[in-house]
């Protein structure tokens, strides 16, 4: 019998000094049965890093044709496509064709580095693609903050994010492997 998703309720307060964005979002996050706490927390952090009034969490792992997070215009044009993990060149090419901006957040240490070395030369032509890496140590610390009901504060400034849940704080460095040239 298939397992159901686990529901997480997140009150996410974002203070992004780089973009001058200050807002609180109430998120209901469905954690897929195969999803780890690490991936769940990276997904919430990715939401915070791209926060916008029209940004939405999607079905994510449940469907291959959607990113983990997206932002559509009022006329249903794909503005931002956010993916987690290590997508193939084909997926990146298709994503870059569908959205004005594509952001990929990688994590997983050496595995992510091997993926990047293999793919980086073939994706330079995508001006609308940004690739950001998180260190394995930081994402494993982030995973420890996960709980079914969270009040999470994310402060973003100068390529770093401070994530706090209750009395715990994790500092995340945004390592830009590729910047979008929009």
């Amino acid at each position: 019998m298939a397992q159901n998703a686990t529901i997480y309720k997140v009150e996410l307060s974002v203070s992004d000094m780089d973009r001058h964005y200050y807002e609180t979002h109430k998120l209901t996050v469905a954690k897929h049965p195969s999803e780890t706490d690490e991936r769940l927390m990276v997904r919430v952090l990715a939401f915070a890093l791209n926060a916008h009034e029209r940004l939405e969490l999607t079905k994510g792992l449940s469907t291959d044709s959607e990113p983990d997070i997206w932002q559509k215009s009022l006329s249903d044009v794909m503005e931002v496509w956010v993916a987690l993990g290590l997508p193939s060149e084909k997926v990146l090419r298709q994503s870059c064709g569908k959205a004005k901006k594509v952001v990929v957040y990688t994590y997983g240490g050496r595995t992510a580095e091997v993926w990047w070395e293999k793919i980086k030369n073939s994706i330079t032509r995508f001006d609308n693609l940004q690739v950001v890496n998180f260190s394995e140590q930081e994402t494993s610390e982030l995973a420890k903050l996960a709980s079914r009901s969270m009040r999470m504060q994310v402060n973003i400034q100068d390529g770093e994010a401070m994530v706090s849940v209750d009395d715990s704080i994790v500092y995340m460095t945004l390592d830009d492997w590729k910047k979008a040239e929009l």
Side-chain angles (χ1 to χ4, degrees):
M1 189 152 109
Q3 290 182 320
N4 291 331
T6 305
I7 303 301
Y8 285 66
K9 296 286 188 176
V10 182
E11 183 179 306
L12 175 65
S13 296
V14 178
S15 297
D16 188 336
M17 276 63 87
D18 296 338
R19 295 187 304 137
H20 305 291
Y21 182 89
Y22 310 94
E23 197 62 58
T24 298
H25 299 265
K26 293 196 182 296
L27 304 175
T28 300
V29 185
K31 180 182 172 191
H32 191 274
S34 68
E35 188 172 25
T36 64
D37 283 347
E38 181 180 36
R39 188 179 192 288
L40 172 91
M41 293 300 284
V42 169
R43 191 158 46 116
V44 174
L45 176 58
F47 186 97
L49 293 169
N50 295 278
H52 186 276
E53 64 183 17
R54 289 190 311 276
L55 195 67
E56 298 177 41
L57 296 165
T58 65
K59 294 176 185 169
L61 286 175
S62 302
T63 179
D64 292 334
S65 61
E66 292 181 358
D68 293 284
I69 302 167
W70 65 23
Q71 177 184 319
K72 293 183 176 182
S73 70
L74 296 175
S75 58
D76 209 35
V77 172
M78 184 70 65
E79 293 177 332
V80 181
W81 178 290
V82 178
L84 306 180
L86 311 171
S88 68
E89 180 189 351
K90 178 183 176 188
V91 169
L92 291 174
R93 183 177 60 247
Q94 290 171 342
S95 304
C96 288
K98 292 178 183 176
K100 291 181 181 179
K101 181 178 182 183
V102 176
V103 186
V104 176
Y105 293 99
T106 65
Y107 59 98
R110 184 73 188 131
T111 308
E113 291 169 7
V114 168
W115 169 85
W116 179 242
E117 286 304 315
K118 185 174 132 184
I119 202 166
K120 69 180 178 183
N121 292 329
S122 61
I123 60 169
T124 56
R125 68 184 184 272
F126 302 124
D127 291 340
N128 61 334
L129 174 64
Q130 178 179 3
V131 179
V132 178
N133 183 59
F134 297 121
S135 82
E136 190 172 19
Q137 179 183 349
E138 291 173 347
T139 58
S140 63
E141 288 297 313
L142 187 64
K144 294 175 187 174
L145 302 181
S147 69
R148 298 274 307 272
S149 179
M150 290 183 278
R151 293 184 71 169
M152 186 170 168
Q153 171 72 41
V154 179
N155 297 325
I156 304 157
Q157 185 173 17
D158 299 331
E160 294 194 0
M162 182 187 81
V163 181
S164 62
V165 176
D166 298 324
D167 294 334
S168 300
I169 298 174
V170 174
Y171 293 93
M172 304 291 296
T173 301
L174 312 176
D175 187 6
D176 275 319
W177 282 353
K178 180 184 183 312
K179 290 188 180 261
E181 321 231 348
L182 301 173

